Amino acid sequence: MDEVRHRDREGTRRRILDAACRLFAELGYEQVTMRLISAEADANIALINRYFGTKRELFAEVLAAQGRFPGVLEVPEEELPRRLAEYVADKLRSNQGGPVLTALTRSPGCPEIHEIIKDRVRSAILEPMAARLPGPDALLRATAATALITGAGTLRQLYGSGALDSPDREAVVERLTRVFEACFAP
Amino acid sequence: MDEVRHRDREGTRRRILDAACRLFAELGYEQVTMRLISAEADANIALINRYFGTKRELFAEVLAAQGRFPGVLEVPEEELPRRLAEYVADKLRSNQGGPVLTALTRSPGCPEIHEIIKDRVRSAILEPMAARLPGPDALLRATAATALITGAGTLRQLYGSGALDSPDREAVVERLTRVFEACFAP
DNA sequence: TTGACGGGTAAACAAGCGTCTACTAACTTC
DNA sequence: GAAGTTAGTAGACGCTTGTTTACCCGTCAA
């Protein structure tokens, strides 16, 4: 029997936004369909367009709802390389980067959301990271580190629990720490 | 008026394969349609399926036709970091990696070709590179370097001629060289 | 009680995709 | 010259996509 559905505009809107966030973060933009979101949010498809406009706009709102690079950067500068290394080794291990990183590793090359990803990566990752690096070429060094994170995510999604974490975790973290240090060194 | 078309099976097959290679290398898998390939190759769509089966199989044949990581690895070990740095700074500057690298930077997260990319990246990049690295953890170190190349390609495609090459090229090459050295160091 | 407002729903829409079928016409073989 | 083989073509097929339309019906003010 059909449950009587509550008439709860804000609640429904939030359920849709949460579902979209989860799905985009797991599958990327193109693999997520409106029908998949509606099923996950237990809401009618038409409501997605009614509340958010187009799929593109919904995606933009999901990314905008994300904060800056999650807490990883809030650390003294000398600990940053190790912290990022652990992030790559652990967080990426469970495919649990946020929607911004997922957009970089699963949905690049989709022209529809090119500008959105571009702006969000800059404001959520590149610029905060560059701001923490003293000395010249801060943006270049932040870009190198971001490239490493991005590429690691791509390979991780390709090979699952292979390669990057098949030896003991400590060896991986140690290696990545040195690489990040090379990215940041003046 | 319509030119009389030669009946040239091998020629047509090659035109299709070349066009597909060019397009896949520029746009990635999903953005390339069968109709786009047929137009670029100036051949009828049905012929693509006739000669290559499915789009997926055509893509696999394009990747298989590519050699190993193009000549970049054929260099003494101590010159490898700088060589890769120049490759990333220059070759990626013009979006001219081959179809294999493009698949990594524009078409990851497409389940349809997951296995194809996986196998090809391993055999064309990871394993040849690991084979050139003496000492333990060769695969891990090759993976780190590949992650850097991949991520650099992704960011490059995102920001165009920005970030990674906005300062003088020499600074970029110098920086990347150090990072690759950190990837390869025992 | 009535009437409008608005959240929710089902169904259809147009467009694009990969793929396939039926046909034409050029070359080869006898 | 007739018959058969085969490269090439046009068009449609079935499916999925994002998006929109037309319609319900609970809620609440008058």
Side-chain angles (χ1 to χ4, degrees):
Chain A
M1 59 197 82
D2 289 349
E3 184 91 8
V4 175
R5 191 165 299 289
H6 294 58
R7 290 164 57 102
D8 179 3
R9 181 185 172 96
E10 282 313 306
T12 302
R13 217 192 105 98
R14 179 170 301 271
R15 287 208 320 278
I16 293 173
L17 196 64
D18 287 352
C21 182
R22 250 174 292 144
L23 289 171
F24 283 140
E26 188 188 343
L27 303 171
Y29 182 77
E30 306 190 78
Q31 302 300 320
V32 173
T33 69
M34 301 293 267
R35 285 162 180 84
L36 191 58
I37 297 175
S38 86
E40 175 88 0
D42 195 32
N44 191 280
I45 310 187
L47 294 181
I48 307 181
N49 291 101
R50 190 193 305 248
Y51 292 150
F52 296 94
T54 68
K55 182 188 181 187
R56 197 186 111 101
E57 290 170 302
L58 170 60
F59 182 74
E61 190 150 337
V62 166
L63 286 209
Q66 297 296 316
R68 319 216 140 193
F69 201 32
V72 185
L73 300 176
E74 326 295 334
V75 98
E77 193 211 341
E78 66 271 16
E79 296 178 19
L80 195 52
R82 174 153 233 112
R83 185 109 165 88
L84 288 176
E86 286 169 350
Y87 179 84
V88 168
D90 295 337
K91 204 79 169 193
L92 282 187
R93 178 184 295 236
S94 46
N95 265 354
Q96 274 202 341
V100 182
L101 253 176
T102 305
L104 262 178
T105 60
R106 297 197 89 118
S107 312
C110 175
E112 196 177 350
I113 51 172
H114 186 97
E115 291 300 317
I116 299 173
I117 298 182
K118 192 171 155 185
D119 293 346
R120 202 66 198 131
V121 167
R122 192 203 310 273
S123 64
I125 303 182
L126 281 176
E127 286 179 352
M129 190 184 294
R132 287 202 89 67
L133 301 178
D137 287 338
L139 192 57
L140 170 61
R141 292 183 280 158
T143 302
T146 303
L148 185 63
I149 298 171
T150 302
T154 300
L155 291 185
R156 152 109 198 91
Q157 127 196 1
L158 198 62
Y159 291 107
S161 300
L164 252 179
D165 38 26
S166 61
D168 55 327
R169 170 181 179 281
E170 204 47 45
V172 177
V173 171
E174 203 61 44
R175 168 71 50 184
L176 289 175
T177 301
R178 299 232 197 107
V179 180
F180 277 116
E181 282 170 352
C183 289
F184 293 147
Chain B
M1 58 176 46
D2 291 348
E3 184 92 7
V4 174
R5 191 165 298 290
H6 293 58
R7 291 166 54 102
D8 180 4
R9 180 184 175 98
E10 283 313 307
T12 302
R13 216 190 106 100
R14 178 170 301 271
R15 285 206 327 274
I16 293 172
L17 195 65
D18 287 352
C21 182
R22 253 174 291 145
L23 290 171
F24 282 140
E26 188 188 344
L27 302 171
Y29 181 76
E30 306 190 79
Q31 302 299 323
V32 172
T33 68
M34 301 292 269
R35 286 164 178 83
L36 192 57
I37 298 174
S38 85
E40 174 87 2
D42 194 32
N44 192 281
I45 308 186
L47 292 182
I48 306 181
N49 292 103
R50 190 195 303 259
Y51 292 149
F52 296 94
T54 68
K55 183 188 179 186
R56 197 185 109 99
E57 291 171 303
L58 170 60
F59 181 74
E61 189 149 339
V62 166
L63 286 210
Q66 298 296 313
R68 320 218 140 192
F69 201 33
V72 185
L73 300 175
E74 326 295 335
V75 97
E77 193 211 342
E78 64 271 15
E79 295 178 21
L80 195 52
R82 173 153 234 111
R83 186 109 165 88
L84 288 176
E86 285 169 351
Y87 179 84
V88 168
D90 294 338
K91 203 78 168 194
L92 283 187
R93 179 183 294 237
S94 48
N95 265 352
Q96 275 202 339
V100 182
L101 252 178
T102 305
L104 262 178
T105 61
R106 298 197 89 119
S107 312
C110 175
E112 196 177 348
I113 51 171
H114 186 98
E115 292 300 318
I116 299 174
I117 298 183
K118 193 171 153 183
D119 292 347
R120 203 65 198 130
V121 167
R122 192 203 310 273
S123 65
I125 303 183
L126 281 175
E127 286 179 353
M129 192 184 295
R132 288 201 90 66
L133 301 178
D137 287 337
L139 192 55
L140 170 62
R141 291 184 279 159
T143 303
T146 303
L148 185 64
I149 297 171
T150 302
T154 301
L155 291 185
R156 152 110 201 92
Q157 128 196 0
L158 198 61
Y159 291 108
S161 300
L164 253 178
D165 37 25
S166 62
D168 56 325
R169 171 181 178 282
E170 203 47 47
V172 178
V173 171
E174 202 61 43
R175 168 73 50 184
L176 289 175
T177 301
R178 300 233 197 107
V179 181
F180 277 116
E181 282 170 353
C183 290
F184 294 148

